[in-house]
Amino acid sequence: MVLRRMWVVPAWSVAIPVAAGVLLAVAWTMTLGWWLLLLVTAALLAVVLVGVYHAETVAHRVGEPFGTLILAMAVTVIELGLIGSMMLSGGEDARALARDTVFATVMIVLNGVVGVCLLVGGRRHHVLSFRAEGATSALVVLAPMTVLALVLPSFTISAPGPVYTPSQLAFAGVAALLLYGVFVFVQTVRHRDDFLPLVSAADEHGERPGVATLWVSLGLLLLSLVAVIGLAKKLAPSIEAGVRAASAPEAVTGIVIAMLVLLPETWAAVRAARRNRMQTSLNLAMGSALATIGLTIPAVAVLATILGMPLELGLRATEIVLLALTLLVSTITLIGGRATVLHGAVHLILFGAFVFLSVVP
């Protein structure tokens, strides 16, 4: 029996995650000099590419939308571990960390990732088609999740400041978890067809990888994601130093780190858009935003309750306006099931406004 070459796990796809893990272990307690900083940055970029390769292998084996769901949830769970460790070590300074991270993720995904995918895919294929039922289903869940988690704390009056009382925080956490659970059920069971790419079976090239390849790629994907998060955290002090040197607000640090963490999903989404598989790109993007809120808010609520740490979840007025505008534009983009470079340009302008106003509030 002749094995198809495309599904034989290449040596480089094994060596790079392992080498990145070793580098992370060696450099974890070291101060990054300029040469080690360059090495860590190069390793981060390389392991992102390898992670995407293994994610696509897993996705091809299990099929959509399970493949994109696995990548989104894996990244979110590891990101949640990063947030939790930073909350434990940050003390009082970390009270707004969850808010800044979740908001940055939502804006990066809905405007940055979706905008780039629409621009790249639209430039190559002119008009990008996707299933409006699946895209709008994700958006109709994302809107109340973001409002409950990030907007209402700025308007409730039971506790001073942009914070929830313990009972309000528990309600928001349970609501986010329930909404995400219902969405995953709808995406994978009840209305799975709404999230499948608009291609026929004949458009799929090559046979599916075997079970052994699936498990090897899944393990290497998880190792790659751990390396990405760990290397991103290792780069965080250098990023913070650069932000301070530029006299930029602390929120910029969260944006840069969120961008690094989202690199694997972003690259996979852009590659899918180039192949005219915009539904896969949207599954990755929207799934990442939903998983971030649906898993992060309940987890940090439990952690904050255990630690007795107040959580600042409410956004400022400028951020609320940007979020509302983003949800409105996203609705217009997704409701028709077709988009062009115009929609991509609009989303990227909104992303630019988010970044600019974070630097110059």
Side-chain angles (χ1 to χ4, degrees), residues 249 252 255 316 318-319 322 351-361:
V252 176
I255 296 174
R316 293 174 286 273
T318 304
E319 296 168 334
L322 281 175
F351 177 68
F354 160 66
V355 174
F356 176 76
L357 292 175
S358 297
V359 177
V360 186

Side-chain angles (χ1 to χ4, degrees), residues 29-98:
T29 58
M30 299 174 61
T31 302
L32 295 185
W34 67 269
W35 63 272
L36 191 55
L37 178 63
L38 292 176
L39 186 60
V40 168
T41 303
L44 175 63
L45 297 176
V47 80
V48 163
L49 299 179
V50 174
V52 170
Y53 171 83
H54 288 299
E56 292 179 342
T57 301
V58 172
H60 197 79
R61 169 65 192 185
V62 302
E64 290 293 345
F66 295 101
T68 53
L69 180 63
I70 289 172
L71 179 57
M73 291 193 67
V75 169
T76 303
V77 169
I78 296 174
E79 180 184 7
L80 180 57
L82 176 61
I83 294 173
S85 65
M86 294 177 70
M87 287 180 64
L88 289 172
S89 60
E92 192 70 16
D93 295 335
R95 58 186 299 165
L97 177 64

Side-chain angles (χ1 to χ4, degrees), residues 90-106:
E92 192 70 16
D93 295 335
R95 58 186 299 165
L97 177 64
R99 177 197 65 194
D100 293 340
T101 303
V102 170
F103 179 61
T105 300
V106 171

Side-chain angles (χ1 to χ4, degrees), residues 54-339:
H54 288 299
E56 292 179 342
T57 301
V58 172
H60 197 79
R61 169 65 192 185
V62 302
E64 290 293 345
F66 295 101
T68 53
L69 180 63
I70 289 172
L71 179 57
M73 291 193 67
V75 169
T76 303
V77 169
I78 296 174
E79 180 184 7
L80 180 57
L82 176 61
I83 294 173
S85 65
M86 294 177 70
M87 287 180 64
L88 289 172
S89 60
E92 192 70 16
D93 295 335
R95 58 186 299 165
L97 177 64
R99 177 197 65 194
D100 293 340
T101 303
V102 170
F103 179 61
T105 300
V106 171
M107 297 301 288
I108 290 169
V109 165
L110 290 186
N111 289 322
V113 178
V114 171
V116 170
C117 288
L118 291 175
L119 198 64
V120 170
R123 182 176 178 272
R124 188 170 187 176
H125 303 287
H126 303 292
V127 177
L128 294 168
S129 298
F130 48 88
R131 299 185 189 274
E133 299 88 349
T136 54
S137 294
L139 193 61
V140 80
V141 175
L142 184 62
M145 287 175 71
T146 53
V147 171
L148 284 172
L150 302 176
V151 177
L152 283 182
S154 297
F155 295 94
T156 53
I157 59 175
S158 296
V163 299
Y164 272 145
T165 64
S167 60
Q168 290 171 335
L169 183 59
F171 176 81
V174 171
L177 192 59
L178 287 176
L179 283 170
Y180 184 63
V182 173
F183 172 78
V184 171
F185 171 74
V186 169
Q187 183 185 33
T188 58
V189 180
R190 181 59 61 87
H191 299 288
R192 182 185 172 190
D193 290 347
D194 291 346
F195 300 88
L196 297 179
L198 291 171
V199 294
S200 65
D203 294 323
E204 298 290 347
H205 299 288
E207 296 179 355
R208 294 195 306 166
V211 175
T213 302
L214 167 67
W215 286 109
V216 170
S217 289
L218 184 60
L220 291 171
L221 170 61
L222 295 177
L223 178 59
S224 298
L225 293 175
V226 169
V228 168
I229 304 302
L231 292 172
K233 184 176 181 180
K234 189 61 184 175
L235 287 173
S238 300
I239 296 171
E240 291 173 350
V243 169
R244 286 193 298 269
S247 300
E250 292 184 3
V252 176
T253 302
I255 296 174
V256 176
I257 294 176
M259 287 181 177
L260 291 175
V261 170
L262 289 170
L263 270 177
E265 287 172 308
T266 301
W267 186 248
V270 171
R271 281 169 57 91
R274 280 179 55 85
R275 297 195 301 267
N276 201 20
R277 295 173 63 89
M278 192 62 202
Q279 184 63 51
T280 299
S281 299
L282 291 175
N283 288 346
L284 280 165
M286 304 295 285
S288 175
L290 287 168
T292 296
I293 301 178
L295 299 178
T296 299
I297 296 302
V300 298
V302 172
L303 186 59
T305 301
I306 294 174
L307 297 177
M309 175 191 301
L311 281 178
E312 289 187 5
L313 290 177
L315 297 173
R316 293 174 286 273
T318 304
E319 296 168 334
I320 292 174
V321 172
L322 281 175
L323 177 61
L325 183 57
T326 294
L327 292 174
L328 174 62
V329 171
S330 297
T331 302
I332 296 172
T333 298
L334 301 177
I335 198 170
R338 291 163 61 89

